[in-house]
Amino acid sequence: MENKYSIILGNLGNTCDRFCKSYKTNPSSERMLELAAENMPYIGGVELVGTWDIRPDNAKEMKKRLDGYGLECASIIPDTFGDSDYGKGSVSSTDPAVRRKALDYLRSMCEVALQVDCRIVNLWMAQDGYDYLLTADYDREREWMTEAIRALASEFPSLKIALEYKPKEPRNFSYHARMADTILAAQETGCRNVGVTIDTGHGFVGGENVAESIVLAKRAGDRLFHMHFNDNHGCWDDDMIVSSVHMTTYIEMMFWLRKTGYDGWLSMDQYPYREDAIGAISESLHWIKKYETIVDERYDEIERLIGLNDAVETSRFLRSLLK
């Protein structure tokens, strides 16, 4: 099975944080697409952020550009995180007008996805959560989220609605925080086209073993729809180059992606604020490709090691990879 690689387009340009509005000059979406097509190894697709990169008014033009470069739209990520109206929640806001606005916007992004032949709408509901105790009705707000996601999935049955989880940021607590609660959120919609996106860095921050999360999604009925790759030190979503911190973790997750039959995109999601963006993201692609090769060539050996349940033998195997 041939893996499909993609990148989030904005990773080539958007370099602001809460301390500095930009560490580099940010190119336009059109220029970033050109850079991706001409410089990124292995990729067959790009992810576009709604409003930043793609909108109803430029969807046809963006589709034309993608086709010209021979690239697919791997997913669309609606921007429910950068609008101040959603500061206290988008589809979970206590204000019904905000909830309506958010759902209408998500519907428009689903329509855009169909226009550009994209089959995944990746929902990172970053503002849907809470900061202070005794301020949120956890039951009611989660139900509002369920109703909105169910509406989208029902109205757009040909699309996969992928819920991307993250423990925190920008809210102190996110409603889609880890694999288990996000699987529950997907199942509560009652829609088979609602699943999960794993962001490796989000899993690390949440204390998850991402390989086990892959298996959980499989056991929940093939709910893993999409993958984002990056790395961090485990305490924050640093969005670093793949394998700058972890190694064994990636080997194991690539093994379980293959063993569970995952056939979706392997997408790079990192923000090289100070590094050369093309170089940094290319390194991530090369690392994942390297791990793919290790799994392909040593699959039976890895499976045997897992069956042995012998940490010493596993250590010897991993050390042999560094020769």
Side-chain angles (χ1 to χ4, degrees):
M1 181 174 62
E2 191 73 21
N3 284 325
K4 302 185 299 182
Y5 290 86
S6 64
I7 67 167
I8 292 181
L9 189 63
N11 291 174
L12 290 173
N14 297 311
T15 59
C16 61
D17 63 20
R18 67 192 184 102
F19 299 102
C20 182
K21 65 180 181 180
S22 183
Y23 290 90
K24 293 175 280 189
T25 300
N26 292 340
S28 67
S29 295
E30 291 77 16
R31 176 56 179 157
M32 286 190 286
L33 185 57
E34 181 182 15
L35 289 169
E38 294 179 353
N39 296 279
M40 291 289 102
Y42 312 125
I43 68 167
V46 296
E47 296 189 65
L48 303 174
V49 177
T51 308
W52 298 11
D53 303 313
I54 193 163
R55 306 169 301 277
D57 65 282
N58 76 341
K60 289 183 179 179
E61 176 61 25
M62 187 59 75
K63 171 61 174 169
K64 182 178 179 181
R65 288 177 182 271
L66 288 167
D67 288 346
Y69 291 122
L71 294 171
E72 296 180 45
C73 182
S75 90
I76 288 179
I77 306 170
D79 179 14
T80 55
F81 38 85
D83 185 328
S84 61
D85 284 352
Y86 305 140
K88 288 190 175 183
S90 63
V91 294
S92 70
S93 171
T94 56
D95 185 340
V98 172
R99 295 201 303 274
R100 284 194 299 272
K101 173 182 172 177
L103 184 54
D104 286 345
Y105 168 68
L106 292 173
R107 286 186 173 112
S108 73
M109 286 296 100
C110 288
E111 293 284 1
V112 166
L114 294 177
Q115 289 181 51
V116 298
D117 294 330
C118 175
R119 290 294 168 243
I120 296 175
V121 175
N122 188 91
L123 300 186
W124 178 47
M125 310 305 284
Q127 301 290 3
D128 292 282
Y130 57 98
D131 301 310
Y132 291 89
L133 305 180
L134 296 175
T135 64
D137 185 329
Y138 313 126
D139 186 53
R140 182 176 63 174
E141 291 174 20
R142 285 178 180 275
E143 184 58 31
W144 284 332
M145 291 186 74
T146 300
E147 290 172 357
I149 295 166
R150 181 187 296 124
L152 283 181
S154 300
E155 293 168 25
F156 297 92
S158 65
L159 295 178
K160 288 186 173 181
I161 309 298
L163 310 180
E164 180 178 351
Y165 63 90
K166 182 178 181 179
K168 61 180 180 178
E169 194 201 21
R171 307 307 297 269
N172 288 332
F173 295 89
S174 300
Y175 283 138
H176 296 162
R178 294 170 184 83
M179 175 56 81
D181 61 63
T182 311
I183 286 175
L184 176 63
Q187 290 178 330
E188 285 181 337
T189 66
C191 300
R192 292 295 310 157
N193 60 326
V194 179
V196 180
T197 292
I198 292 179
D199 181 297
T200 59
H202 297 178
F204 299 156
V205 172
E208 292 189 335
N209 174 8
V210 176
E212 184 181 9
S213 298
I214 290 166
V215 173
L216 289 175
K218 178 68 175 181
R219 290 177 60 84
D222 281 319
R223 295 276 184 174
L224 181 57
F225 288 175
H226 198 47
M227 288 290 302
H228 284 167
F229 287 89
N230 52 69
D231 208 344
N232 62 50
H233 293 287
C235 58
W236 198 256
D237 184 32
D238 300 306
D239 278 331
M240 296 165 65
I241 296 169
V242 165
S243 214
S244 51
V245 180
H246 295 83
M247 185 184 89
T248 307
T249 304
Y250 287 105
I251 294 172
E252 188 182 36
M253 72 173 74
M254 292 297 289
F255 171 82
W256 282 101
L257 284 172
R258 177 173 166 186
K259 188 172 179 64
T260 58
Y262 176 76
D263 61 357
W265 292 94
L266 307 181
S267 194
M268 305 306 110
D269 177 5
Q270 65 192 82
Y271 283 88
Y273 299 112
R274 300 164 183 83
E275 297 74 38
D276 170 65
I278 292 171
I281 298 168
S282 293
E283 278 301 301
S284 290
L285 286 159
H286 286 307
W287 273 110
I288 295 298
K289 192 70 173 177
K290 176 67 173 178
Y291 293 134
E292 176 189 337
T293 299
I294 289 171
V295 169
D296 285 346
E297 294 178 350
R298 319 272 302 254
Y299 182 90
D300 291 341
E301 188 174 358
I302 295 170
E303 192 163 48
R304 181 185 67 83
L305 285 169
I306 291 172
L308 285 176
N309 189 20
D310 186 328
V312 175
E313 285 298 316
T314 296
S315 178
R316 290 190 182 114
F317 166 76
L318 292 169
R319 184 160 45 82
S320 74
L321 298 177
L322 300 178
K323 292 178 182 179

